[in-house]
Amino acid sequence: MSRMLLLILGAIGATLVLLLINDERGMTLGMANDTFAQAAILGVWGVVLAAGFLRRGMRFGDVTRQLAIWLVILFGLVAGYQYRVELQEIASRITAGLIPSRPQTIISSDGAMAVTINKSNNGHFKADGVVNGKTVSFLVDTGASLVVLTMRDAEAVGFKPEDLSFTNPISTANGSAMAASIRLNEISIGGIVRRDIRASVAEDGKLDQSLLGMSFLSSLSGYTVRQDQLLLQN
């Protein structure tokens, strides 16, 4: 593969990465994303044209063929960027089918955000969330008044057992237990983020999986179950 081809592919890749990173902001390097994308495409196309015509020893037919190939590639990239929302939705549906606990974020045409969670094989809704920057696997439980962490998850997100005071009685699937009151700096499920959330930590060995309870769910504008899917509305 020639150096010129590597440079062109690198430029295209860098452009796509910048556009994806700045998609929500709408601006890239001081320009609107659409304007930046158009400028980048024209720039790459100009380099391809110049490289084709300036390269020695190439016949006109070879130059035309290579330009046609690059034109198809550029059109494909433009189409992929223009239909990025639809492509992201397709990718989300595929991911949800393969990994039911992976929350899928949906942005409607009016900018409203929602998160969907598919029912797992055992009939429960499980969601992978992020607590204080660490991934935690939750069981969605509307019967739990608070978000409840297992001791293992609590330690993973930064709480030390010796700093916890287990003075609050709770009921779990394993029976009664004592829990310690805590506050979570940040918890996110998909694109929904909440800060300073009341929670508790169950005694070690008393809870099999952390629970996503009402201290998080009640902060939402709504949540509904549609067949095998739970919809959380920001």
Side-chain angles (χ1 to χ4, degrees):
M1 186 176 291
S2 69
R3 182 179 299 177
M4 179 59 69
L5 179 58
L6 288 175
L7 289 174
I8 292 172
L9 291 175
I12 293 173
T15 298
L16 290 175
V17 169
L18 285 172
L19 288 171
L20 289 173
I21 291 175
N22 296 295
D23 185 48
E24 292 186 1
R25 292 178 54 195
M27 298 285 291
T28 300
L29 301 181
M31 293 184 287
N33 282 346
D34 289 340
T35 302
F36 177 79
Q38 292 171 2
I41 289 168
L42 289 175
V44 172
W45 185 235
V47 171
V48 172
L49 284 172
F53 285 113
L54 294 177
R55 186 174 178 180
R56 296 180 179 179
M58 288 193 68
R59 293 176 297 180
F60 180 76
D62 294 333
V63 173
T64 303
R65 184 167 56 254
Q66 288 198 12
L67 292 179
I69 292 172
W70 279 108
L71 186 61
V72 171
I73 293 174
L74 289 174
F75 274 136
L77 292 173
V78 171
Y81 177 71
Q82 293 297 326
Y83 290 96
R84 62 192 180 280
V85 175
E86 289 80 1
L87 292 174
Q88 287 174 352
E89 184 175 350
I90 293 173
S92 295
R93 289 181 179 276
I94 293 173
T95 303
L98 296 174
I99 312 174
S101 62
R102 180 72 58 84
Q104 307 301 318
T105 302
I106 301 172
I107 306 294
S108 64
S109 57
D110 60 358
M113 179 189 294
V115 168
T116 60
I117 302 168
N118 281 14
K119 185 179 291 185
S120 60
N121 293 332
N122 62 6
H124 296 291
F125 289 105
K126 296 182 178 181
D128 293 333
V130 178
V131 176
N132 296 352
K134 301 294 184 179
T135 301
V136 174
S137 179
F138 286 104
L139 174 67
V140 180
D141 187 357
T142 57
S145 59
L146 299 174
V147 172
V148 184
L149 300 181
T150 64
M151 177 58 74
R152 181 176 181 178
D153 286 339
E155 290 184 85
V157 303
F159 293 97
K160 297 180 180 179
E162 58 269 24
D163 296 333
L164 301 175
S165 178
F166 296 91
T167 57
N168 302 320
I170 61 171
S171 296
T172 72
N174 294 335
S176 299
M178 301 300 289
S181 296
I182 58 172
R183 297 195 80 91
L184 305 177
N185 294 334
E186 182 177 284
I187 176 173
S188 62
I189 303 295
I192 298 177
V193 181
R194 294 293 185 268
R195 294 178 175 84
D196 193 27
I197 293 293
R198 293 189 305 121
S200 61
V201 179
E203 287 181 301
D204 193 19
K206 297 296 185 178
L207 190 65
D208 295 328
Q209 186 171 18
S210 293
L211 306 177
L212 190 67
M214 292 304 297
S215 57
F216 176 86
L217 296 175
S218 62
S219 72
L220 305 174
S221 61
Y223 57 92
T224 55
V225 176
R226 299 176 180 175
Q227 296 181 345
D228 292 335
Q229 193 174 75
L230 173 64
L231 178 69
L232 307 179
Q233 297 169 303
N234 191 21

